[in-house]
Amino acid sequence: MTENAQQQPPAPDTELPTQYAPADVEGPLYERWVERGYFEADAKSDKPPYTIVIPPPNVTGSLHLGHAFEHTLIDALTRRKRMQGFETLWQPGMDHAGIATQNVVERELGKEGKSRHDLGREAFVERVWQWKGESGGQISGQMRRLGDGVAWSRERFTMDEGLSQAVQTIFKRLYDDELIYRAERIINWCPRCLTAISDIEVEYQDDDGELVSMTYGEGDDTIVVATTRAETMLGDTAVAVHPDDERYKHLVGTLIKLPLTDRSIPVVADTHVDPEFGTGAVKVTPAHDPNDFEIGQRHGLPSLTVMDEHAVITAHGPFQGLDRLEARSAIVAALRAEGRIVAEKRPYVHSVGHCSRCKTTIEPRLSMQWWVKVGPLAKAAGDAVRDGKVKIHPQEMEKRYFDWVDNLHDWCISRQLWWGHRIPVWYGPNGEVVCVGPDEQPPGTEAEGWKQDTDVLDTWFSSGLWPFSTLGWPERTESLAKFYPNSVLVTGYDILFFWVARMMMFGLYAMDGTPPFHTIALHGMVRDQFGKKMSKSFGNAVNPLDWMDKYGSDALRFTLARGANPGVDVPIGEDWVQGSRNFANKIWNATRFALMNGATVEGPLPEPSAMSATDRWILSRLNTVIAEVDAFYDDFQFAKLSDALFHFAWDEVFDWYVELSKTTFQAGGEPAEVSKRVLGEVLDVTLRLLHPVVPFVTETLWTTLTGGESVVIAEWPGDSGFRDGAAEREIESLQSVITEVRRFRADQGLQPGQRVPARLTLDGTALAPHEAAIRQLLRLQPEGEAFTATATLPVAGAEVALDLSGTIDVAAERKRLAKDLAAAEKEKAQANAKLGNEAFLAKAPDNVVDKIRTRLAKADEDIARITAQLDRLPQA
């Protein structure tokens, strides 16, 4: 038998309100958990560690369904491990979110008619800190609403003193190991935010543009090239063709005239060019296109920057000072006037990158930036998974991971912002470059001609240190020794490349080859009930707080967990949350009934020999479910474990065991006392199993049932190994009888509460001890002297004879069923006629034929069902 978590608990208060009101329960419960320190983690503990870091939400953010989904899964894992006796740390914190936060504060300044430049760097950064203290981090309060069991005393911020020291330390080490360098390369540039941005901060969408084909050169040396960015032609330094393209071999190595300029540019041969695409010739603008930059590097071409940081043309000539879009139109018009436009396609729909923060079109731009040489770091990150040190779940996601880390380009880590970790590099008056560690002093003062680099680091640089910087690294703290590496990382597959890969690279580098986590558990994205991406622009975005207000946090959590299959997107609709609310109410009402009828957890469980088959059945099923749930948790199968618990609790415990127990309770005596203890045990264990996913309602019910301090710190149920196959088969037979007779009653139009005389023939079957329960659940009254068996149902080796005289009009029922049977037979005949028509089958689409086959199958089912009903009716 399973043992109750609390030994000899005090007598519980069995009074529960008639209805569950989440709004009255959740807030006070959560604060009580926090005050009692249930979520804190002790680095000195001798318990085995279990560690998960929160994917740090942006300080500018608020709880959305994606957060609620991810947090529900992490909270379920950590609550279970805590109950299993692990020293459990769910590490909370927030990301400073460089661009997003700077934009928020700049907008606030804009309302005052000021810019950050009016304040200056130091005052602006102070203003951001002020905003963070007053308005940032509202998501923390929302996490409490959801029930997140994080160790709040350990909350970290990527710009706090300790994490800033970690950032400076690893920068210095990478720099000294020649894995950080400064170079001029093409980056994603936002002309609005005036900074380089990472690939993840670029959102691609199909825009209506124009594709312009134009001629370069003169006479026989003319080449046609096409572009969607005509303004960049001012910075062209070559035309490239494929080395094997016979059309242009005579031009390779020659110079041709670049229109609208006084320059001539070479024709170069490069295998990057696709001779089958367009004309097979491409313009090369090394300073404004990443592919062109690579061509330029291979051929030693100059890189001419023709736009400034605001995307305004800087090239000398009539277009100087024009915005890039103004210049585009003007340049096309000038080329048209010279007769160089061969073709124009408008609109030309193509994928264009936009800044995820301000939606401005990204401009590829040659810029001097700081870079991480990722080659050796990425190799280590790939090898850690290949060697089995780190497991990716589901395993099929490994290929995506390898595709990324095996092909990583060097990482641009500098950002032209003021909010963030400033790059710890100083430049001296004579060209000196000095990188300064956290315990070192700058090499000189501004008065002496020394200046610190003005850029800050990419937000992903600091968040890449998250699994160990939050534990006190670079100091060798007790927390670092206890809780590193993390047990598992739970995150979306969409940031597998950006955040996960960076944590792997930095963790292996900084922690002497020890990866940051043992397992990477990837989940999908939350979508609406039709599988469509949620977006404000689509009108289908949902504020999870609204659903929590309406249905309770447990209902939202259970809905999200029940849809969580590894690596697969999760559809969610309000009806499903309402259904989960109904489940919470069902748990509440069933536990309340049990308490009112004396269910108890006091004392040991009776021996199996003292139990009824019903008692042994439910305990056998309970242990099976415990084993299933444990296996599903270990495989991150949240949907399957939630479904298993739902059906066990609702179908088996509440709809069957509780109902069957009513007869026992009414009869009283020793069997009733045994069942009360078994019911208490089953509810105790079921509530503990449900707690990690639905913590609030289970806490209220479990403490009331058991008198225990809190289910948060209760013992996780273990499978005792008790199984009783005979009892399970016996109750399955009982369920078959009740289900079949209920179906028959419904088919005959009898009301659920309508009593019918019946004769039960149970002798010689395992059902004999259950006659009272069968009669009570089926509303079957004893047969009287005038009993006439008008319908007989043989089920599970037993026989149930019913007297329907006086309850239904048999003649009218036969007439109704005969009419339904005729309609079903006509439908079958029509379907067979079409499916037997070769000419029809040859012309009809597959989906039409499939529909007819479905109609035929349905007609067959209807005929069988109606015929069985007629056979069971007495002759009129």
Side-chain angles (χ1 to χ4, degrees):
M1 298 298 96
T2 54
E3 293 183 1
N4 186 45
Q6 302 296 318
Q7 300 299 317
Q8 297 299 324
D13 177 5
T14 58
E15 289 298 319
L16 284 172
T18 55
Q19 290 184 323
Y20 176 50
D24 297 338
V25 170
E26 294 174 352
L29 267 188
Y30 188 84
E31 291 310 313
R32 189 185 312 158
W33 291 334
V34 173
E35 288 167 7
R36 293 179 178 178
Y38 293 156
F39 305 140
E40 296 304 322
D42 182 4
K44 293 182 171 63
S45 166
D46 58 3
K47 296 179 182 178
Y50 186 81
T51 317
I52 295 181
V53 293
I54 193 172
N58 289 350
V59 68
T60 59
S62 59
L63 190 73
H64 57 63
L65 271 178
H67 287 127
F69 173 56
E70 185 168 80
H71 291 198
T72 294
L73 305 187
I74 299 175
D75 197 40
L77 290 174
T78 52
R79 283 179 183 269
R80 172 176 174 258
K81 284 296 182 180
R82 190 177 294 112
M83 295 171 76
Q84 287 182 315
F86 286 76
E87 193 62 36
T88 302
L89 170 60
W90 181 8
Q91 174 66 54
M94 285 186 292
D95 193 288
H96 65 279
I99 295 177
T101 306
Q102 181 157 318
N103 281 347
V104 167
V105 178
E106 285 196 81
R107 282 196 296 271
E108 293 295 316
L109 284 175
K111 296 175 184 177
E112 303 170 14
K114 298 178 182 177
S115 73
R116 61 182 163 122
H117 300 286
D118 293 324
L119 272 66
R121 183 168 193 145
E122 186 175 337
F124 176 77
V125 170
E126 287 181 8
R127 180 70 177 261
V128 180
W129 278 108
Q130 179 185 345
W131 175 88
K132 190 257 180 188
E134 295 172 355
S135 306
Q138 62 173 315
I139 196 170
S140 295
Q142 296 164 345
M143 287 166 58
R144 292 170 183 264
R145 283 286 313 278
L146 189 65
D148 286 5
V150 299
W152 287 113
S153 70
R154 293 172 170 266
E155 187 173 13
R156 303 303 299 270
F157 181 54
T158 51
M159 286 281 287
D160 68 29
E161 184 177 350
L163 268 64
S164 295
Q165 182 184 24
V167 168
Q168 195 171 351
T169 298
I170 201 163
F171 187 100
K172 170 70 171 172
R173 292 188 186 179
L174 289 164
Y175 182 87
D176 289 347
D177 287 344
E178 299 183 347
L179 292 173
I180 282 183
Y181 63 94
R182 193 167 182 245
E184 192 174 41
R185 291 188 176 181
I186 292 284
I187 43 86
N188 300 308
W189 182 264
C190 176
R192 156 61 183 79
C193 297
L194 298 180
T195 182
I197 65 174
S198 66
D199 291 337
I200 197 173
E201 292 162 325
V202 179
E203 292 180 349
Y204 288 90
Q205 65 184 49
D206 289 339
D207 286 359
D208 287 343
E210 60 179 357
L211 180 65
V212 179
S213 299
M214 51 195 176
T215 59
Y216 283 15
E218 304 288 351
D220 294 338
D221 294 343
T222 297
I223 293 182
V224 177
V225 298
T227 183
T228 58
R229 300 164 66 217
E231 69 279 8
T232 63
M233 58 115 13
L234 300 174
D236 286 358
T237 56
V239 170
V241 298
H242 193 276
D244 300 332
D245 196 330
E246 295 293 336
R247 293 172 295 178
Y248 303 115
K249 276 198 171 180
H250 67 290
L251 290 177
V252 174
T254 67
L255 296 175
I256 61 173
K257 179 175 174 53
L258 179 66
L260 308 182
T261 71
D262 295 327
R263 294 189 293 115
S264 291
I265 58 177
V267 178
V268 299
D270 195 281
T271 54
H272 170 76
V273 180
D274 181 1
E276 302 298 323
F277 183 77
T279 63
V282 297
K283 59 191 286 300
V284 182
T285 322
H288 293 279
D289 183 274
N291 293 323
D292 292 2
F293 178 79
E294 297 297 332
I295 294 174
Q297 292 291 294
R298 287 193 289 272
H299 296 277
L301 302 175
S303 297
L304 301 182
T305 300
V306 295
M307 273 182 271
D308 67 12
E309 60 186 7
H310 297 279
V312 171
I313 301 297
T314 57
H316 292 299
F319 311 108
Q320 187 174 10
L322 295 180
D323 171 78
R324 56 181 166 170
L325 298 181
E326 296 172 335
R328 183 176 301 171
S329 299
I331 286 171
V332 171
L335 290 168
R336 190 183 297 113
E338 289 191 4
R340 289 188 173 274
I341 299 296
V342 175
E344 296 179 70
K345 185 176 181 180
R346 297 189 187 89
Y348 179 72
V349 179
H350 62 132
S351 182
V352 178
H354 295 260
C355 174
S356 63
R357 303 300 176 190
C358 68
K359 311 308 176 187
T360 301
T361 299
I362 291 301
E363 191 64 46
R365 185 169 187 259
L366 186 64
S367 179
M368 182 67 74
Q369 302 285 346
W370 285 94
W371 303 80
V372 172
K373 186 186 295 183
V374 300
L377 302 174
K379 182 181 184 303
D383 289 345
V385 175
R386 288 189 174 93
D387 297 344
K389 291 181 181 177
V390 178
K391 297 187 182 302
I392 294 179
H393 192 279
Q395 191 174 0
E396 54 265 28
M397 287 286 182
E398 282 186 2
K399 183 180 184 302
R400 297 181 66 177
Y401 176 79
F402 292 136
D403 287 345
W404 179 256
V405 297
D406 293 346
N407 297 285
L408 267 179
H409 298 294
D410 284 0
W411 171 21
C412 175
I413 56 172
S414 46
R415 299 291 180 266
Q416 291 64 55
L417 303 171
W418 288 356
W419 172 245
H421 296 102
R422 195 164 175 181
I423 290 176
V425 172
W426 269 256
Y427 305 105
N430 300 311
E432 301 95 334
V433 179
V434 178
C435 180
V436 176
D439 300 321
E440 300 172 347
Q441 293 298 317
T445 65
E446 283 200 25
E448 296 169 335
W450 287 88
K451 290 187 178 179
Q452 186 178 358
D453 196 299
T454 58
D455 288 352
V456 301
L457 288 163
D458 178 14
T459 296
W460 296 100
F461 191 94
S462 52
S463 60
L465 313 180
W466 193 247
F468 51 94
S469 64
T470 51
L471 298 172
W473 188 90
E475 300 298 323
R476 294 290 172 173
T477 63
E478 286 183 318
S479 289
L480 189 65
K482 178 75 173 179
F483 296 113
Y484 187 92
N486 293 180
S487 306
V488 62
L489 174 76
V490 179
T491 192
Y493 63 70
D494 58 323
I495 55 174
L496 172 65
F497 315 128
F498 305 103
W499 187 44
V500 178
R502 282 153 173 68
M503 285 190 290
M504 286 285 282
M505 291 191 295
F506 281 166
L508 289 160
Y509 174 80
M511 297 300 294
D512 303 319
T514 302
F517 16 73
H518 297 301
T519 302
I520 302 167
L522 298 170
H523 59 73
M525 305 296 102
V526 179
R527 297 180 177 271
D528 71 12
Q529 59 188 317
F530 306 109
K532 191 175 182 181
K533 180 181 177 182
M534 285 193 172
S535 166
K536 290 181 180 178
S537 60
F538 294 155
N540 63 349
V542 173
N543 183 345
L545 295 173
D546 293 340
W547 281 351
M548 286 192 281
D549 288 342
K550 195 170 182 180
Y551 303 111
S553 298
D554 285 335
L556 176 63
R557 289 171 61 114
F558 193 71
T559 305
L560 291 166
R562 205 172 175 195
N565 291 296
V568 179
D569 288 347
V570 182
I572 185 172
E574 185 169 0
D575 289 349
W576 305 343
V577 184
Q578 186 174 353
S580 295
R581 188 271 314 273
N582 295 342
F583 179 50
N585 289 342
K586 185 81 170 180
I587 302 169
W588 182 273
N589 292 333
T591 307
R592 185 169 177 271
F593 165 83
L595 289 167
M596 291 172 63
N597 284 273
T600 180
V601 298
E602 292 188 42
L605 277 171
E607 290 299 317
S609 58
M611 297 180 190
S612 68
T614 309
D615 294 332
R616 298 195 307 276
W617 160 73
I618 197 63
L619 289 173
S620 181
R621 288 291 305 130
L622 176 64
N623 278 292
T624 298
V625 169
I626 291 171
E628 288 176 349
V629 168
D630 277 333
F632 288 142
Y633 261 117
D634 293 341
D635 199 34
F636 305 101
Q637 298 280 0
F638 296 97
K640 290 182 179 179
L641 72 90
S642 299
D643 215 45
L645 287 170
F646 173 85
H647 286 295
F648 174 70
W650 192 308
D651 300 344
E652 298 185 81
V653 178
F654 306 150
D655 280 358
W656 283 109
Y657 184 70
V658 168
E659 290 301 313
L660 290 170
S661 297
K662 288 179 180 178
T663 308
T664 308
F665 293 158
Q666 288 172 2
E670 184 60 24
E673 296 306 311
V674 170
S675 290
K676 289 175 183 178
R677 179 63 187 88
V678 171
L679 179 55
E681 178 76 7
V682 171
L683 286 175
D684 164 26
V685 173
T686 302
L687 291 170
R688 282 187 274 152
L689 289 171
L690 283 165
H691 173 72
V693 181
V694 283
F696 293 107
V697 67
T698 52
E699 170 80 342
T700 304
L701 295 175
W702 188 87
T703 52
T704 303
L705 172 71
T706 69
E709 180 184 340
S710 173
V711 71
V712 176
I713 55 172
E715 182 181 346
W716 180 254
D719 174 10
S720 70
F722 175 77
R723 300 290 191 280
D724 192 326
E728 290 195 34
R729 289 189 294 274
E730 182 173 325
I731 301 306
E732 284 172 6
S733 296
L734 175 60
Q735 291 171 328
S736 296
V737 170
I738 293 172
T739 301
E740 187 62 28
V741 176
R742 279 177 173 169
R743 184 182 298 118
F744 177 76
R745 288 176 56 110
D747 287 344
Q748 306 312 316
L750 296 177
Q751 296 300 314
Q754 189 173 351
R755 294 195 166 274
V756 177
R759 177 190 299 135
L760 305 184
T761 305
L762 308 176
D763 293 343
T765 73
L767 298 173
H770 302 287
E771 179 168 353
I774 293 172
R775 287 190 177 278
Q776 179 168 315
L777 292 176
L778 291 173
R779 305 294 191 270
L780 303 179
Q781 64 191 40
E783 57 191 286
E785 292 183 4
F787 178 83
T788 302
T790 58
T792 302
L793 287 80
V795 188
E799 188 176 89
V800 179
L802 304 175
D803 183 355
L804 302 180
S805 58
T807 59
I808 63 170
D809 184 334
V810 174
E813 185 64 14
R814 278 190 167 280
K815 185 175 180 181
R816 181 185 71 79
L817 290 172
K819 183 178 179 181
D820 291 346
L821 181 62
E825 289 173 338
K826 180 180 180 182
E827 175 75 4
K828 177 178 180 177
Q830 290 175 340
N832 274 327
K834 287 189 176 181
L835 293 174
N837 185 335
E838 295 296 335
F840 169 78
L841 292 176
K843 294 179 181 178
D846 290 345
N847 65 316
V848 173
V849 176
D850 288 342
K851 284 182 180 179
I852 295 171
R853 288 188 176 128
T854 301
R855 283 169 49 196
L856 176 60
K858 176 67 165 54
D860 282 335
E861 290 175 8
D862 289 345
I863 290 169
R865 176 179 54 80
I866 297 167
T867 301
Q869 289 177 244
L870 283 167
D871 289 343
R872 289 169 178 164
L873 281 175
Q875 296 299 318

